[in-house]
């Protein structure tokens, strides 16, 4: 991983992609933080796995899905237990609980900012 160029593709917000940013910093990985703007996102979204971000690009390979990326990085940097299934469960449960938070905060932010019910990033 350290010999390849690493790029985090995400919006300039502290949401799903931020945990990946934090883990990369914690692991001491130098990476490009490619912050997407809405117009570029609408043009490029289908270049990303499942048409979603955050995505982590390592060399030419682009990985999708926040929690999968976190588990991958955790295993790569020995931050995710490989032998203790109980510890794995606790980490996974915490990550899954954050998904509930993100969903609710996203809905609240859309309403507060006056966005219509449809997604403002997936026109």
């Amino acid at each position: 991983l350290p010999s390849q160029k690493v790029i985090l593709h995400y919006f300039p917000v502290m949401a799903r992609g931020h945990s990946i940013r934090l883990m990369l910093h914690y692991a001491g990985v130098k990476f490009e933080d490619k912050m997407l703007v809405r117009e570029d996102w609408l043009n490029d979204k289908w270049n990303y796995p499942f048409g979603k971000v955050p995505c982590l690009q390592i060399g030419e390979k682009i990985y999708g899905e926040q929690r999968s990326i976190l588990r991958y990085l955790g295993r790569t940097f020995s931050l995710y237990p490989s032998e203790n299934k109980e510890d794995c469960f606790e980490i996974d449960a915490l990550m899954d609980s954050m998904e509930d938070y993100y969903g609710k905060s996203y809905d609240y932010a859309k309403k507060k900012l006056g966005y219509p019910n449809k997604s403002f990033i997936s026109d």
Side-chain angles (χ1 to χ4, degrees):
L1 183 74
S3 64
Q4 296 178 311
K5 184 172 183 173
V6 177
I7 304 170
L8 174 62
H9 300 259
Y10 197 57
F11 302 106
V13 295
M14 292 176 62
R16 286 183 174 95
H18 194 63
S19 54
I20 298 168
R21 282 186 189 113
L22 293 175
M23 186 175 281
L24 290 168
H25 283 295
Y26 182 82
V29 175
K30 292 184 179 179
F31 68 99
E32 178 185 336
D33 201 349
K34 183 176 181 182
M35 302 212 183
L36 305 172
V37 295
R38 185 176 189 272
E39 294 75 25
D40 293 339
W41 165 248
L42 292 174
N43 291 330
D44 297 339
K45 73 179 284 180
W46 296 113
N47 293 327
Y48 297 107
F50 311 109
K52 298 183 341 186
V53 289
C55 288
L56 187 66
Q57 183 175 347
I58 302 172
E60 297 301 314
K61 175 94 171 128
I62 298 179
Y63 299 88
E65 294 299 319
Q66 174 214 17
R67 290 177 287 178
S68 297
I69 293 168
L70 288 171
R71 280 191 279 275
Y72 170 78
L73 292 173
R75 287 184 185 104
T76 300
F77 297 109
S78 301
L79 301 171
Y80 189 83
S82 60
E83 297 169 13
N84 188 322
K85 291 183 182 0
E86 196 69 28
D87 287 347
C88 288
F89 176 84
E90 294 295 327
I91 291 169
D92 288 344
L94 179 60
M95 286 195 311
D96 291 343
S97 72
M98 289 305 298
E99 189 61 31
D100 296 336
Y101 165 77
Y102 288 134
K104 289 178 179 150
S105 62
Y106 177 74
D107 292 341
Y108 174 78
K110 279 194 333 184
K111 190 180 297 181
K112 204 66 168 148
L113 294 171
Y115 288 105
N117 286 336
K118 69 178 186 167
S119 173
F120 73 99
I121 58 172
S122 63
D123 292 30

